[in-house]
Amino acid sequence: DTGVSQDPRHKITKRGQNVTFRCDPISEHNRLYWYRQTLGQGPEFLTYFQNEAQLEKSRLLSDRFSAERPKGSFSTLEIQRTEQGDSAMYLCASSQSGSTDTQYFGPGTRLTVL
Amino acid sequence: TQLLEQSPQFLSIQEGENLTVYCNSSSVFSSLQWYRQEPGEGPVLLVTVVTGGEVKKLKRLTFQFGDARKDSSLHITAAQPGDTGLYLCAGDDSGGYNKLIFGAGTRLAVHP
């Protein structure tokens, strides 16, 4: 399977705990994006990597959020001291820079903070 | 701030009916994409439109990009229960990093 994969698919945690999500992009894609989707809304941009460089971060990404893409391949998104408002679907997408730069999404990680 | 508004928010129809959903903005987008999303899954790309006035067909689905590249529509002919899902439009914000600006989606239910 050459699609975008995310792990875990579901995560339930207690308020105040730290969580980490992983995204494996399509292998030849140099761009990787994280989005967050809450119930009844479309995805909202969080952050973007080109290769290993994090080039843009949304103001939605508070100090409790950090993302890495150490070798320009997989990426991790960590949330520290989770809050109930962090409950959402976290989506990863990848693309190859070019004329249309179409983004392909993974299945997402559903986070529930109790 | 670029925004995409989708209408209607919800659509419930019988199998065999035709429908159109709309995606409108006051901003110009360099490209616009339509995705379909099933519950608990990530969005799946249906089409990308790039040129103003462009029309693309995907079986029973017809996508149109407005001449000014500010709006788009999705028309489904003879809807089937398998078309049920959340239809999202997303615009490329042209800020250099191609991050997508999504609408809130149209939730379609097609009943047998």
Side-chain angles (χ1 to χ4, degrees), chain A residues 1 18 28 52 54 64 99:
Chain A
D1 183 11
N18 299 344
E28 63 268 25
E52 66 275 9
Q54 187 174 20
R64 296 183 297 105
S99 58

Side-chain angles (χ1 to χ4, degrees), chain A residues 31 33 37 56 101 103, chain B residues 35 37 45 97-100:
Chain A
R31 293 182 167 182
Y33 305 79
Q37 185 177 23
E56 188 173 352
D101 196 29
Q103 293 181 34
Chain B
Y35 291 84
Q37 187 177 26
L45 180 68
Y97 300 138
N98 301 102
K99 72 185 183 200
L100 295 176

Side-chain angles (χ1 to χ4, degrees), chain A residues 1-112:
Chain A
D1 183 11
T2 56
V4 178
S5 62
Q6 292 188 246
D7 184 69
R9 293 293 308 276
H10 304 275
K11 179 70 176 179
I12 300 174
T13 191
K14 293 183 179 179
R15 191 173 50 187
Q17 297 294 304
N18 299 344
V19 294
T20 300
F21 310 141
R22 177 179 170 125
C23 171
D24 286 89
I26 294 172
S27 58
E28 63 268 25
H29 285 183
N30 62 341
R31 293 182 167 182
L32 187 146
Y33 305 79
W34 285 98
Y35 293 82
R36 182 173 70 186
Q37 185 177 23
T38 53
L39 204 60
Q41 299 298 318
E44 294 175 291
F45 170 79
L46 292 179
T47 191
Y48 159 73
F49 290 86
Q50 178 142 332
N51 300 311
E52 66 275 9
Q54 187 174 20
L55 297 183
E56 188 173 352
K57 291 170 63 173
S58 164
R59 54 191 165 85
L60 292 175
L61 215 63
S62 75
D63 291 346
R64 296 183 297 105
F65 288 72
S66 63
E68 294 182 342
R69 193 183 184 198
K71 296 183 179 179
S73 56
F74 73 91
S75 175
T76 58
L77 177 67
E78 180 183 17
I79 308 174
Q80 296 182 328
R81 305 181 303 281
T82 52
E83 301 173 357
Q84 287 186 323
D86 297 331
S87 295
M89 173 79 93
Y90 289 84
L91 294 162
C92 175
S94 71
S95 71
Q96 179 61 37
S97 53
S99 58
T100 58
D101 196 29
T102 299
Q103 293 181 34
Y104 295 90
F105 282 80
T109 294
R110 167 75 64 189
L111 173 65
T112 302

